[in-house]
Amino acid sequence: MNDLDHRFRQQKQSGQKIAALTAYDYPTARIVDEAGIDFILVGDSLGMVILGYPDTTSVTLEDMIRHTGAVARGAKLAPVIADLPIGTYGSPAQAVASARQLLAAGARGVKLEGGSALAPQIRALVEAGIPVLAHIGMLPQRVREEGGYKVKGGTLEEAGVIRDDAVAVQEAGAFAVVLEIISPGLAAEIGPTLQIPTIGIGSGEGCDGQILVLHDLVGLYPWFKPKFAKQRADTASAISGAVRDYVAAVRGDTGMTPP
Ligand code: KIV
């Protein structure tokens, strides 16, 4: 067992919920870290909210390495977990080689998407001393095949697959598992059957912790707002207001303080 296993299993046992967020750069990592987050994910969601792609399927390992380095320089307390992007963990050996590059950039562990089918990759990573955060349910790297971000676990068959995936990733050695957009009843049922914590996103309150994309939390990506994400600040409007003031001041509009 690694230190993340101990830390997060203990937190689950004590009943203290785990709060996690994404970050993609030095300033946001520093702010999130200093605000007391339990862990930071350098998510491949950076493909959308930072790089402007329609989904995560164009993100490369080089993208993840660059942003992981920036986040790691800003986060002094919270462990930094980095996503293995699509196409970088097709075999156990490839997963370990890719993950080592993220660790060299400053990550403490990696996340990969998939359940039972990825048990060999998870096992190889853990044997190589690399902590793994698993991710089951809706898998954003498969959004094109799935035809959108749909709730998972609504049918008996899907629920059975998700239950089996949760057990498989735990047995393979993951330190925690993200449950993405799983029916809340199923997510609440899975948590107590596992020793490792469940980290929910759009899966209801019955998980051992929650994770959100920072931009959804602070309103910095107003063009797509997942229904489940409670926006707690309006950063896009704050930036827009400051820019409008600045433009008016530079142009010498009446009543504006010069820049
Ligand atoms: O890429 C991402 O940001 C994620 C989520 C779980 C937030 O995978």
Side-chain angles (χ1 to χ4, degrees), residues 9-152:
R9 280 184 193 222
Q10 263 177 13
Q11 200 164 332
K12 174 172 173 135
Q13 278 160 15
S14 73
Q16 197 196 353
K17 298 265 184 179
I18 297 164
L21 278 173
T22 64
Y24 314 99
D25 56 30
Y26 174 84
T28 56
R30 199 166 159 178
I31 292 166
V32 161
D33 191 45
E34 290 173 3
I37 206 74
D38 287 309
F39 73 85
I40 297 176
L41 174 71
V42 188
D44 61 357
S45 49
L46 67 80
M48 285 107 90
V49 300
I50 301 292
L51 302 177
Y53 296 126
D55 55 44
T56 62
T57 61
S58 302
V59 176
T60 64
L61 190 57
E62 288 65 36
D63 294 329
M64 294 306 302
I65 291 168
R66 179 168 291 267
H67 286 275
T68 298
V71 169
R73 285 188 283 279
K76 297 283 174 256
L77 298 168
V80 173
I81 308 301
D83 262 337
L84 282 167
I86 191 165
T88 64
Y89 53 98
S91 68
Q94 191 193 17
V96 172
S98 304
R100 286 208 167 114
Q101 296 186 60
L102 294 171
L103 261 59
R108 179 69 195 87
V110 297
K111 176 165 81 59
L112 37 66
E113 294 184 9
S116 314
L118 284 185
Q121 278 85 332
I122 298 175
R123 212 164 274 126
L125 287 161
V126 173
E127 275 165 15
I130 302 170
V132 177
L133 175 60
H135 182 153
I136 64 173
M138 165 61 205
L139 306 179
Q141 291 176 6
R142 301 225 190 114
V143 67
R144 293 185 183 197
E145 295 97 295
E146 298 274 334
Y149 298 90
K150 297 179 187 150
V151 180
K152 290 277 178 177

Side-chain angles (χ1 to χ4, degrees), residues 1-7 108 126 129-132 173-175:
M1 272 204 196
N2 56 63
D3 59 323
L4 296 188
D5 273 308
H6 281 295
R7 185 194 300 198
R108 179 69 195 87
V126 173
I130 302 170
V132 177
F175 72 83

